[in-house]
Amino acid sequence: MRRFSFTDPGFEAAFAAFIDERRETPEEVDAAVRDVLAAVRAEGMEALLRFARQFDKVEIDESNIRVSAEEIEEGAAQCPAQVREAIAFAAARIGAYHARQRPADQAFTDEAGVELGWRWTALEAVGIYVPGGRAAYPSTVLMNAVPARVAGVERIAMVTPPGRLQPAVLAAAKEAGVTEIWRVGGAQAVAALAYGAGPIKPVDKIVGPGNAYVTAAKRRVYGTVGIDALAGPSEIVVVADGANRADWIAADLLSQAEHDPAAQSILITDDDAFAAAVEAQVQEQLATLTTGEDAAASWRDHGAVVIAPLDEAPRLVDLIAPEHVEFAMENPERLSDRVRHAGAIFLGRVTPEAIGDYVAGSNHVLPTSRAARFSSGLSLYDFIKRTSIVKCDAASFAVLGPHTVALAESEGLPAHARSAAIRLGQ
């Protein structure tokens, strides 16, 4: 864990170097991913089954690579009632939140008499990658599948590494409207969704987080299919004054540190004594976490405490452009309204980031690695597309046609010019 003080002469340079440190897996994985993608594209199901044996150490075949409807029902029924209730609660809130994002179609006639507009339509098929390594994540299923279902996507294909499917994951898939589940993970799963493999038909877009191999595969198949984003390690910034409980803030910092040794947790406060209390609480809580090994590595290697005036916090947050930022204070909007770059903002002392991961309704699939400077979190817009509509009559074409001819001729495109000129009788 690094400590920075705003009053130090070298603060700006040291802080900039810290946030520029690389936390992703090196690019060496790209060569392996390239070979996997090529094999699946050429060999289809045969390659998928081979990679399952090689990477996942399991034997599967075409008869059981798809999770049957009976398995989904039986698995979901094994999920504890309290967890099923929470899944239904979260799904309803996520659905309601994303339904409000639906844009309206538009149609209008402009001053030239041209009928213009646009309409929105859902994607036909979406693939969702659900990790199966460090933990089972029913929330990942909900955050990816529910907005797709609300958008009107007809086919939602879920892939997850082979092995025992957790009941909570199956319950979430059932609740969210997933239409098919396949026991395949890694780069080969991304390839199957992009190119098709045996009974796994290609999709139009792939969403969902994964490890470095999954991310590299998504990068390579982009263009053949759409993707949501290139996910990096989790990150949180907590801006807190000294009136907070140190144990609350420590828990918030560790909520992201426990995801991955490469995750990043940063505290910004103007109170040195409070910062020391939070640091002590972090160490105390680490000893109690079953995820303590990963969280400790994250805090040790990528954590930071920044002592700075709180009025400086919005500028520092924008430099970090974090996945999540909390403003734990009275009247948090005074500072948060000045933030431009953040995936999600949590306001007040009793709004921990963890509720955004599960039940707030907003999406927890958010930009990482400073991508909040230019991108947003997953939303309904990821599952719909806009089509432009144009209609001229003879009178309005007479207004637009001559300018079309002039511009086409200026670009040296005579066929473009002729397609307009011929209708003008030229």
Side-chain angles (χ1 to χ4, degrees):
M1 187 273 295
R2 258 70 66 86
R3 248 181 173 263
F4 300 94
S5 176
F6 186 74
T7 58
D8 289 346
F11 169 79
E12 297 290 346
F15 187 68
F18 170 70
I19 62 177
D20 281 342
E21 288 177 0
R22 185 181 182 88
R23 290 183 294 127
E24 289 92 352
T25 302
E27 294 294 332
E28 296 89 79
V29 300
D30 193 55
V33 165
R34 179 193 61 214
D35 293 342
V36 168
L37 295 180
V40 174
R41 190 169 195 175
E43 303 171 43
M45 183 58 65
E46 183 180 338
L48 282 189
L49 300 179
R50 184 171 70 251
F51 291 134
R53 293 190 295 271
Q54 180 180 346
F55 299 134
D56 299 307
K57 311 302 181 187
V58 297
E59 288 288 343
I60 56 174
D61 56 41
E62 283 201 53
S63 70
N64 63 4
I65 192 169
R66 181 168 183 167
V67 181
S68 69
E70 292 76 19
E71 287 178 284
I72 295 172
E73 288 290 339
E74 291 172 8
Q78 294 172 19
C79 183
Q82 185 178 13
V83 178
R84 289 202 307 271
E85 181 181 345
I87 286 170
F89 179 80
R93 293 186 59 83
I94 295 164
Y97 181 95
H98 289 81
R100 288 177 176 269
Q101 296 175 342
R102 186 178 300 281
D105 293 350
Q106 292 287 334
F108 60 94
T109 302
D110 70 7
E111 64 280 358
V114 180
E115 295 179 35
L116 295 165
W118 54 84
R119 60 182 173 88
W120 297 88
T121 54
L123 304 184
E124 287 188 23
V126 168
I128 296 175
Y129 191 94
V130 177
R134 293 179 181 275
Y137 293 117
S139 62
T140 297
V141 181
L142 297 178
M143 292 293 177
N144 286 276
V146 170
R149 185 198 68 204
V150 170
V153 176
E154 295 177 0
R155 178 179 165 232
I156 304 174
M158 175 178 140
V159 293
T160 191
R164 181 175 181 268
L165 277 167
Q166 295 295 325
V169 170
L170 291 172
K174 180 181 175 184
E175 182 72 35
V178 170
T179 57
E180 58 197 68
I181 304 175
W182 303 91
R183 291 183 175 93
V184 57
Q188 59 271 27
V190 174
L193 291 173
Y195 308 128
I200 306 176
K201 303 305 179 187
V203 299
D204 300 314
K205 189 169 191 174
I206 301 172
V207 300
N211 62 18
Y213 292 89
V214 171
T215 300
K218 287 169 70 176
R219 181 186 288 112
R220 278 191 166 269
V221 300
Y222 176 68
T224 299
V225 293
I227 63 170
D228 52 348
L230 300 172
S234 298
E235 51 206 31
I236 187 171
V237 175
V238 180
V239 181
D241 59 24
N244 284 280
R245 285 182 49 167
D247 57 343
W248 288 13
I249 301 304
D252 294 351
L253 293 167
L254 291 175
S255 72
Q256 296 309 296
E258 72 177 348
H259 271 301
D260 190 311
Q264 184 171 72
S265 302
I266 299 173
L267 171 64
I268 300 175
T269 184
D270 60 350
D271 189 320
D272 210 333
F274 174 71
V278 171
E279 290 177 46
Q281 273 294 317
V282 166
Q283 296 306 319
E284 185 174 326
Q285 292 181 30
L286 279 172
T288 69
L289 293 174
T290 58
T291 52
E293 185 177 351
D294 285 346
S298 165
W299 181 245
R300 180 191 68 233
D301 297 337
H302 305 293
V305 172
V306 181
I307 309 298
L310 292 184
D311 276 346
E312 288 289 331
R315 181 180 70 85
L316 297 177
V317 169
D318 276 346
L319 288 173
I320 302 165
E323 180 184 18
H324 315 99
V325 57
E326 294 180 13
F327 284 89
M329 60 191 64
E330 297 298 322
N331 189 23
E333 293 85 355
R334 180 180 70 83
L335 297 179
S336 67
D337 286 352
R338 291 162 49 194
V339 170
R340 183 186 296 264
H341 307 311
I345 299 175
F346 301 85
L347 302 175
R349 303 189 199 281
V350 291
T351 316
E353 182 279 331
I355 67 160
D357 276 346
Y358 297 108
V359 297
S362 56
N363 209 290
H364 80 197
V365 181
L366 298 165
T368 58
S369 306
R370 304 188 69 204
R373 293 174 296 122
F374 54 80
S375 64
S376 308
L378 196 72
S379 73
L380 188 85
Y381 302 109
D382 285 282
F383 303 104
I384 58 178
K385 51 192 174 60
R386 187 184 66 253
T387 302
S388 299
I389 308 295
V390 182
K391 181 181 181 181
C392 293
D393 59 15
S396 60
F397 183 75
V399 177
L400 272 59
H403 298 293
T404 301
V405 173
L407 286 169
E409 288 179 343
S410 76
E411 292 184 348
L413 297 172
H416 281 65
R418 183 175 295 140
S419 74
I422 200 169
R423 288 170 169 79
L424 294 169
Q426 296 178 3

